[in-house]
Amino acid sequence: MARWRGVTRSAMVLAAVLAVTALTAPSPAAAAWGYGVNRVQTAAEDSWAQTGMGPGWVLLSYKANGPMVGYLFARDFVFADGVVKSSFDHMDIRDTGDASAGNTEGITRWPWGYAGGSFDGCAYAYGTRKFAIERTGFMSSSCAGGPTVVGSSNADGSPDQLRWWHSEQVFCTANGVDPLCSPYGVWSENKGGGLRSTTARTTCGAYGNIGAAAAYGSGPAVAVHPLGTAPAGAQIDIRYVTRDRQWIMAKWHGNRFAAGIAWAFLPRSCVW
C-alpha cells in the first residue's frame, strides 16, 4: 500500500473526510436552562415553535399562561423593519411555577424573575425550553421576592394555583369611558365572554415591547421591536387596553406577525 512519510493513503483520506465533517456538522445544542442568568436561544439553536414560544423569541406574562406583557428576543432575530438583533435578551430565572396552568401546548414549567431587554421588569416566561443558562447568580436584585398577588381566572372565582406579579387592575378598567377597556382588566372567556373585537381604522403598526412600566400601568411607553402591520379594515381582537389608554394588546384576527408572533402592542388610536 502506498505510504507518504509513514502515513497510509487511506488514513489521509479518512482524515480529510473527518475534517470536512467537522466543518459541516451542526454546532452543539445550546446549554439547557438553569437557575441564574439565562439568554434566549436563537432559532438556529432551537426552532421549537408553539403558542407563546417561537424561533428566537419567548413571550412574557404577569402570570403563568397569561396575556402577553412583552417579549425577550435572541440575537439574530429579524424585526419587521429589517433590523437584526445584535445581542441576546436575558432573564434571571430565580424559580419556576410548576403547573399546567391551563396551557394546552405542553408547557408545565413557568420560569419567573427579572426579564431584561426592552421589557425590564418582573414576569413569568412561557416555559424554560427557549432559554440557555449563561452563568449562576443574577444580573439584577429586582423580583427576588417572587410573585405575591393572589389572582383568579377561574369562572367560580377561586384563586389560581400560582401567584401573579400584578393584579389585572393594572390595565384599563374604565369601560364606561372606553368600551375597549374590560371592566375586569382583561377580556377572556370567563371575563366578558371572550376577546373584544374591533376594526382597524387605519394601518396599525405592531410592536413587541412598550416596557414593563407601561404594560403594568406605572410609566410611559417606549414602543420598540416592530413586528409588522395590520391593514385598515382588519379585525383586531383585544385582550387588554393599557391603563393610560394609549396602547392595546391585541392580535390581527387569523394572521401572524414576524416569526409567527400573534400578540403585539398596537396604538389605541388606530382602531375604532
Side-chain angles (χ1 to χ4, degrees):
M1 181 178 291
R3 291 176 177 269
W4 182 73
R5 294 186 181 177
V7 180
T8 65
R9 188 173 307 225
S10 58
M12 293 171 60
V13 171
L14 177 60
V17 170
L18 291 174
V20 172
T21 301
L23 291 172
T24 59
S27 59
W33 76 280
Y35 296 115
V37 180
N38 285 252
R39 65 169 176 83
V40 183
Q41 292 189 34
T42 66
E45 291 170 327
D46 181 8
S47 60
W48 185 65
Q50 294 185 354
T51 300
M53 302 178 65
W57 58 272
V58 63
L59 181 151
L60 301 173
S61 181
Y62 56 92
K63 66 171 185 170
N65 195 35
M68 183 273 286
V69 292
Y71 293 95
L72 296 180
F73 296 96
R75 188 182 64 197
D76 301 330
F77 187 94
V78 182
F79 297 102
D81 58 359
V83 171
V84 180
K85 200 165 190 311
S86 60
S87 60
F88 288 100
D89 286 341
H90 294 80
M91 182 174 187
D92 286 342
I93 297 182
R94 290 185 171 271
D95 205 346
T96 62
D98 298 329
S100 64
N103 187 267
T104 60
E105 306 297 333
I107 299 174
T108 59
R109 191 166 50 206
W110 303 88
W112 58 259
Y114 170 76
S118 294
F119 180 72
D120 189 24
C122 303
Y124 281 96
Y126 264 58
T128 53
R129 184 165 178 167
K130 294 299 297 182
F131 288 102
I133 189 168
E134 285 197 345
R135 61 181 173 84
T136 57
F138 302 102
M139 58 182 170
S140 171
S141 60
S142 298
C143 316
T148 59
V149 176
V150 178
S152 173
S153 285
N154 302 317
D156 62 0
S158 60
D160 284 355
Q161 178 180 348
L162 302 176
R163 290 179 179 266
W164 301 3
W165 283 107
H166 293 277
S167 163
E168 290 170 346
Q169 300 300 304
V170 299
F171 308 120
C172 178
T173 58
N175 192 246
V177 175
D178 187 338
L180 297 187
C181 295
S182 167
Y184 305 97
V186 299
W187 297 103
S188 64
E189 287 297 329
N190 57 355
K191 294 179 179 178
L195 301 178
R196 183 73 161 85
S197 292
T198 187
T199 303
R201 67 168 78 197
T202 185
T203 299
C204 292
Y207 297 86
N209 283 299
I210 59 173
Y216 290 149
S218 60
V222 179
V224 294
H225 300 148
L227 301 176
T229 57
Q235 177 179 328
I236 304 298
D237 297 331
I238 297 174
R239 180 69 79 186
Y240 64 79
V241 181
T242 58
R243 179 175 288 277
D244 64 5
R245 297 177 49 229
Q246 298 301 302
W247 295 89
I248 58 174
M249 196 284 281
K251 62 184 177 71
W252 174 14
H253 186 81
N255 293 273
R256 297 271 175 159
F257 296 113
I261 289 176
W263 298 98
F265 288 107
L266 283 63
R268 169 66 181 88
S269 59
C270 81
V271 299
W272 295 104

